[in-house]
Amino acid sequence: AMGFSLWTLMKACLLCLNAVAVLHEGRFLRPQGWTLKDENGYDVHHPPLKQRAIELINAVQFARVPLIFANTFIILCEMVLW
């Protein structure tokens, strides 16, 4: 039985970060208008909440290497402990 714990919460957060990290800017984000720059490279200004969400997406995509290590750690813990 899978209970609610800090461990499952951490795995769920990591899963969500992975989902954001794999969003492709050219295929998904730009057609939806979720980029900081337009096609010509100029800054685009969005409403504050949308701007924060776009910045969060960019930050998560920038941190792909730490995500790889976090995924590796979770997988190894799952294999060893469970």
Side-chain angles (χ1 to χ4, degrees):
M2 185 175 177
F4 185 75
S5 66
L6 188 59
W7 181 252
T8 56
L9 184 63
M10 186 173 69
K11 289 192 308 186
C13 288
L14 184 63
L15 186 64
C16 291
L17 289 174
N18 285 325
V20 171
V22 299
L23 291 175
H24 193 273
E25 185 175 346
R27 290 187 204 155
F28 180 74
L29 297 174
R30 185 168 291 127
Q32 303 298 325
W34 283 76
T35 58
L36 292 175
K37 302 209 181 274
D38 64 6
E39 301 84 31
N40 300 322
Y42 295 111
D43 290 338
V44 177
H45 298 287
H46 299 285
L49 185 61
K50 185 175 181 180
Q51 183 77 20
R52 290 289 193 168
I54 294 170
E55 290 168 357
L56 178 65
I57 291 169
N58 283 338
V60 170
Q61 289 180 342
F62 183 74
R64 284 186 179 163
V65 174
L67 271 175
I68 292 170
F69 288 119
N71 284 312
T72 305
F73 174 74
I74 294 290
I75 291 169
L76 290 175
C77 286
E78 288 286 326
M79 286 174 35
V80 171
L81 299 176
W82 290 278

